Amino acid sequence: ALFVEIHFDEVGNIVIVLYDKNQDFKRAMNVNMVPHVFVLDGEGKIVYNHTGYTPGSEAELLEVIKGLQ
């Protein structure tokens, strides 16, 4: 089962969080490691795909998001 949470950040951007209980979405998207982040543009195209965490990687993610505005 796939559960979806929709949030809004402080400037009104929509943030969608998926909980993939049966891991069907994980397999479909070839996700092998968490955390895994996909950023989609307004047309639903994946414009950013990042696996894992390193200090400072959130700054890169923020720049990608800002670039979509």
Side-chain angles (χ1 to χ4, degrees):
L2 186 65
F3 299 96
V4 179
E5 286 186 4
I6 299 174
H7 305 273
F8 295 90
D9 69 10
E10 62 277 356
V11 295
N13 294 313
I14 299 172
V15 177
I16 301 172
V17 179
L18 304 175
Y19 296 98
D20 186 16
K21 185 176 179 180
N22 296 330
Q23 300 185 355
D24 295 330
F25 185 75
K26 172 189 159 194
R27 284 188 292 278
M29 297 301 291
N30 198 29
V31 171
N32 297 311
M33 184 176 156
V34 294
H36 198 114
V37 176
F38 294 101
V39 175
L40 286 70
D41 64 13
E43 297 176 3
K45 178 182 173 193
I46 297 172
V47 295
Y48 179 79
N49 179 357
H50 183 82
T51 302
Y53 175 77
T54 54
S57 63
E58 64 276 8
E60 178 184 3
L61 175 60
L62 186 57
E63 288 302 313
V64 169
I65 293 169
K66 286 180 181 179
L68 293 174
Q69 297 176 355

